[in-house]
Amino acid sequence: MSVDLEQATEQLKLWTSQPSLLSHARALQIVMQKAAVKYGPGESAKERWGIAGLLHDADYERWPEEHPKKIVEWLKERGEEEIAHAIAAHNTRIGPQPESRLDKALLACDELAGFVIACSLVRPEGISTLESKSVRKKLKDKSFAAKVDREEIRHGAELL
């Protein structure tokens, strides 16, 4: 048994209602689809990698202390070991070490995507004119998006 995009979306919406978490999930889905082409096996993996991005925080709103245990269990029950491992590994405090390209990409993209969104929200033009040099400059400003773990961004980038 495997999980398709429709099932993943239904599960996300079942456990998540906060607009910011839903937006983050959708952003990670899109980023991970691009990562599948750049860092992974290519076009054929876009949906699977996108599902990993979409579901990576699906249990966070309901069970923040157990995150990502619930979504990992849900995926394993459906035979999605690869996606389950990637999601478990994105929690660097308690998860396993990232091993596969999928694991490493999810870890690398999670914090960075949230940071890029924060950068775009303070710009009049939004993300349309955001350049990488602006993101790098904001990364140095510890007071900007202070909850973003810059060390995790650095570590994830090194893994890729």
Side-chain angles (χ1 to χ4, degrees), residues 47-148:
E47 182 170 326
R48 288 188 56 71
W49 283 42
I51 288 170
L54 187 71
L55 292 178
H56 80 286
D57 284 342
D59 58 2
Y60 183 78
E61 182 177 330
R62 281 197 177 181
W63 301 282
E65 298 301 319
E66 296 180 57
H67 168 70
K69 183 180 176 188
K70 297 287 188 181
I71 192 60
V72 167
E73 288 172 358
W74 185 85
L75 287 160
K76 285 182 176 181
E77 288 169 1
R78 286 152 184 81
E80 291 291 356
E81 294 290 331
E82 179 187 35
I83 295 174
H85 188 274
I87 290 174
H90 102 281
N91 187 333
T92 56
R93 290 171 311 222
I94 62 169
Q97 289 297 308
E99 298 166 0
S100 71
R101 299 297 282 175
L102 173 59
D103 299 352
K104 293 172 183 178
L106 185 60
L107 176 63
C109 294
D110 183 20
E111 287 289 302
L112 185 56
F115 190 79
V116 168
I117 290 170
C119 290
S120 68
L121 290 174
V122 298
R123 299 176 61 82
E125 308 85 15
I127 200 163
S128 63
T129 60
L130 182 64
E131 295 182 13
S132 60
K133 67 180 182 180
S134 297
V135 174
R136 288 191 304 270
K137 183 178 178 183
K138 288 285 191 190
L139 276 169
K140 293 175 185 173
D141 179 358
K142 303 292 187 206
S143 65
F144 179 79
K147 291 183 179 180
V148 172

